[in-house]
Structures are given as C-alpha cells and as structure tokens.
Amino acid sequence: EQTRLKADVIEADTEEWQKEPGFAGLQRVGGVDLSYVKGDDTSACASLVVLSYPDLKVLYEDCWMVAVTAPYIAGFLAFREVRFLVEAIQRLQQRKPGLRPQVLLVDGNGLLHPRGFGVACHLGVLTDLPCIGVAKNLLEVDGLARDELHKEQILSLKTEGDAFPLTGTSGNVLGMVLRSCRISTKPVYVSVGHRVSLETAVRLVKACCKYRIPEPIRQADIRSRRYIQKHLHSSPEVTPSAPKR
C-alpha cells in the first residue's frame, strides 16, 4: 500500500503562494495531532486546528475521542492514525469549507522514512493537500544516525533559521535539521510530505514557529491534551502519538 501510494507523492511546489518570498496568498495553515490517554494506547484524542497566516491565530478546532485498533509498528504509523486525520479534514470540508487549510503540518515524517513514505506523505496523498512532516527526533534511516557528528552539526546551529541537510548513504537528501526558534537549542526535523519542496517546507516551518514546535502542531497538541483532561478526567499526561516500543 505504501509503495502504491508513494507513486502519487509530488516533491515540488504546486501552489502560487509557495513561490512568493513572504508566502503572499497563504491565509490558512492546518496542524494535526493524536494524543493518547495515559496508560491506554487504544484510546486517543484526534485534533485538527486551522490557524490564520501570518498571525497564527486559531480559526478552527476539532477534537474528538477515537478508538485506535491497529497495532503500533515502526514505519507503519499512518495505518494506525491517518484515517482519523483524513476524517477530520472531511468533516471540516462539510462544516466550514471556507476554512480548509492550504497546507498541513504533521507531527511526524514525510520522505524521511524507511520506504520514503511517512505519515505526512500518506496524509498528503489521501487529502491532496500540501503536507509537511515535522518531527522532534531523528529517524535513523539510510545511514542517518544520532552520532557524535550529528550532535556536532546540531551545535553548529547558532541562530534561528540555521539548518543543515540530512543526506543518507544513498546520496539522497531526506530532510533538513532546523533550529526553529531562538529560545530552543533543540532542532526539529523537517521533511517533504506532498506538494511542497523541501526549501519551501523549511521556510514555512520557521515562519510558523513561536517556540520550537510550529504553532499549528503545537496548538493541535495542546487542544487534544486539554480535551482528554476535560472529557475523561484523566491525568494531564498522555502518551505521544508515536509511542516508543
């Protein structure tokens, strides 16, 4: 299934706003997230938010509890989570079509994936929306490793906006390591999902960051956690959307 869908991934800019230096014409940026109930990796809150651009104010939010039935298998996260995110986009289209996002930021990877088809690619192809993967940790594929050289390269990122490419042993550039804001020395890992170039993806992620995590993903995460607390009266802690195994 991944191989079949991967054939539809477009690794280039397809929208006029993407070609503008200041993203003129971009008005709505979406973010998605799944947060799991603490101690229960089958109960989760799926969240979609749409933010205005460039001021990054929340225009729309949708949170609801879902029952996750597929097991977690490394490299196949999309088969566990993506259908809920697709449903969120479909529901938005029915309720408020005028707020449909022009691009989606996803907590996960795109081309930076063992088979070059992470959750950001999967969601992008199924929704036909430009999609960008933003991960907090390096996925070690194609010879990439969290070794001393990688740590030294991260230390070389002195100011916000500094970045370096993730080049695998295949010679392919799979993503970029970006210092997304001044107040955090921890970088994020940006990769192409669908209908966007890597250069544009990095520029947009940086433009959407008030803190380390881009605001659309950050707001989706905040709201999903809050929803769990409010509706299930559970602990404020929830497991991450890609729990370690």
Side-chain angles (χ1 to χ4, degrees):
E1 183 74 358
Q2 286 179 331
T3 300
R4 182 180 68 81
L5 292 173
K6 187 177 185 294
D8 294 327
V9 170
I10 299 171
E11 302 175 36
D13 294 331
T14 61
E15 310 301 302
E16 285 302 315
W17 62 262
Q18 295 167 330
K19 301 164 188 175
E20 298 292 334
F23 297 125
L26 177 60
Q27 299 177 321
R28 299 173 307 282
V29 181
V32 291
D33 184 65
L34 250 77
S35 292
Y36 288 80
V37 175
K38 185 181 179 181
D40 183 354
D41 64 0
T42 63
S43 297
C45 176
S47 175
L48 164 68
V49 297
V50 180
L51 275 61
S52 59
Y53 186 87
D55 54 346
L56 303 175
K57 303 297 183 184
V58 176
L59 302 174
Y60 172 91
E61 70 173 280
D62 183 13
C63 298
W64 77 109
M65 298 304 298
V66 298
V68 181
T69 55
Y72 173 76
I73 303 172
F76 298 96
L77 178 66
F79 293 95
R80 178 171 166 84
E81 297 186 351
V82 80
R83 71 182 182 94
F84 304 115
L85 307 179
V86 172
E87 287 171 9
I89 297 295
Q90 292 171 340
R91 194 157 47 242
L92 168 59
Q93 185 65 34
Q94 293 169 355
R95 293 174 176 175
K96 303 242 180 169
L99 293 180
R100 181 178 172 87
Q102 293 163 277
V103 59
L104 279 174
L105 272 58
V106 182
D107 181 11
N109 294 297
L111 297 180
L112 181 57
H113 180 268
R115 288 164 298 283
F117 194 74
V119 64
C121 296
H122 208 130
L123 183 60
V125 169
L126 293 183
T127 61
D128 199 31
L129 284 169
C131 223
I132 299 169
V134 185
K136 294 183 282 293
N137 299 296
L138 174 65
L139 185 61
E140 297 181 321
V141 298
D142 195 11
L144 298 174
R146 290 185 289 265
D147 54 16
E148 289 306 313
L149 174 59
H150 185 72
K151 293 174 184 176
E152 288 175 12
Q153 289 176 307
I154 289 174
L155 290 174
S156 73
L157 304 176
K158 299 298 185 184
T159 61
E160 63 179 281
D162 285 355
F164 64 85
L166 288 166
T167 305
T169 54
S170 64
N172 295 324
V173 176
L174 304 179
M176 293 285 284
V177 184
L178 170 69
R179 180 166 176 174
S180 54
C181 75
R182 178 182 55 81
I183 59 177
S184 176
T185 58
K186 291 183 178 180
V188 292
Y189 297 84
V190 181
S191 56
V192 169
H194 183 50
R195 292 178 57 184
V196 64
S197 68
L198 183 56
E199 179 186 359
T200 297
V202 171
R203 283 198 298 127
L204 182 60
V205 169
K206 179 181 177 296
C208 287
C209 285
K210 296 180 179 179
Y211 304 96
R212 179 193 175 203
I213 305 302
E215 203 64 10
I217 294 174
R218 181 173 167 272
Q219 290 298 328
D221 175 66
I222 288 171
R223 282 162 167 71
S224 62
R225 291 169 184 264
R226 187 181 298 157
Y227 189 92
I228 287 174
Q229 293 177 50
K230 179 180 177 182
H231 291 268
L232 294 187
H233 307 290
S234 64
S235 164
E237 293 184 64
V238 291
T239 59
S241 57
K244 301 294 183 186
R245 289 290 186 269

